[in-house]
Amino acid sequence: RVCFSSARSNFCAAMRVWLATQAVMASPEALEAGVRLAKALRGSDAPSPNPLCIAKNCLSNATKCLVDKDCRKGMMCTAGCGGVNQTCIFQCTSEYENEVYDDMLRCFFTDHDCMKMPAGEYYDNLAMCRGTDVAPPTTTYRNESLTEDIALDLLRRGVNGSGYWLVAKGLSHAYDCFDCQNLWWTPAEDKSPLRYDAIYKIHKPDGGIRWNSATYDVKHYGEAGRVIF
């Protein structure tokens, strides 16, 4: 569940380089995948993992991934993405992601600063996939100025204040092109103005399917028509 800006998608790839080079304890196939990915990323602008930081703070998380079948398969799947193919990387993580994978990502990326960003780049929790000028929200609704409260009310439209939406189109090939994306915008239990729940279908390479889900608290962005997850 990582925003697929260039830097953050590269993080996923770079992280797996480190994991894959350690994967000989898990399987020869994982080691081979790591070598392929390392070659693909050589000379790229991907962030570099800090082995000392990982060993100090996230070693148990990484080890659990190496011995977990799905987490390890996700690592190997990403090795075939060439390092920075966002659509491919997101497909891999959506197909194989589990609690072990999520815990490892959180340790590497959120709880500890174990990645060294390329020169001139930095990690931003609010990083965007594209500039806000690319898809500006409407400024009026029914001939009146659109306010944040009105925009949130529109999302909540539905039965008992639970806004239900079915995604039909999107701007991101990595994130929007999934079948049966069901979204709910409901009142949050905490101080957040809304809670966002999503359910969507993943088509697996073996012909099977997997239903994934995601839940986020929604925060004000400061502009009507935009929110922060």
Side-chain angles (χ1 to χ4, degrees):
R1 301 182 182 95
V2 177
C3 175
F4 279 80
S5 63
S6 175
R8 299 185 77 175
S9 62
N10 285 348
F11 157 77
C12 295
M15 183 188 70
R16 286 188 177 83
V17 173
W18 182 86
L19 287 173
T21 57
Q22 308 301 315
V24 66
M25 69 181 71
S27 71
E29 292 82 3
L31 178 60
E32 181 182 354
V35 172
R36 292 201 309 269
L37 184 54
K39 289 181 178 179
L41 285 174
R42 188 173 299 157
S44 76
D45 62 350
S48 301
N50 183 331
L52 293 178
C53 177
I54 294 170
K56 178 181 178 181
N57 301 298
C58 306
L59 185 60
S60 62
N61 303 85
T63 302
K64 288 178 182 178
C65 178
L66 295 176
V67 298
D68 180 85
K69 181 180 178 181
D70 284 336
C71 191
R72 192 169 66 247
K73 280 188 174 182
M75 174 186 68
M76 295 174 65
C77 177
T78 306
C81 294
V84 293
N85 184 329
Q86 298 177 17
T87 304
C88 179
I89 290 172
F90 191 67
Q91 176 69 37
C92 291
T93 56
S94 296
E95 182 174 345
Y96 295 109
E97 148 180 70
N98 57 18
E99 186 175 349
V100 175
Y101 170 83
D102 285 343
D103 288 345
M104 181 184 64
L105 258 188
R106 187 179 302 108
C107 186
F108 273 67
F109 199 47
T110 305
D111 296 342
H112 304 282
D113 186 17
C114 289
M115 301 301 297
K116 181 180 179 181
M117 299 299 294
E121 294 188 24
Y122 63 94
Y123 168 64
D124 182 359
N125 278 314
L126 303 180
M128 297 184 181
C129 301
R130 54 176 56 86
T132 56
D133 59 329
V134 175
T138 182
T139 58
T140 61
Y141 176 69
R142 292 185 173 179
N143 298 320
E144 303 219 353
S145 296
L146 181 71
T147 65
E148 284 194 277
D149 289 337
I150 292 176
L152 293 178
D153 284 340
L154 292 174
L155 290 176
R156 285 192 293 258
R157 279 186 170 183
V159 179
N160 297 323
S162 298
Y164 169 69
W165 297 75
L166 185 64
V167 176
K169 188 177 181 180
L171 297 177
S172 171
H173 290 290
Y175 189 76
D176 294 321
C177 297
F178 292 107
D179 291 345
C180 304
Q181 284 199 73
N182 296 268
L183 309 181
W184 287 267
W185 303 83
T186 59
E189 296 179 358
D190 57 15
K191 295 183 179 180
S192 301
L194 283 179
R195 168 176 157 157
Y196 165 92
D197 292 281
I199 299 176
Y200 53 98
K201 183 191 293 185
I202 301 295
H203 291 274
K204 303 175 69 173
D206 62 5
I209 62 173
R210 167 176 168 168
W211 286 93
N212 277 12
S213 62
T215 298
Y216 297 97
D217 285 331
V218 177
K219 299 180 180 179
H220 291 290
Y221 178 77
E223 178 185 359
R226 299 189 193 275
V227 295
I228 298 173
F229 289 159

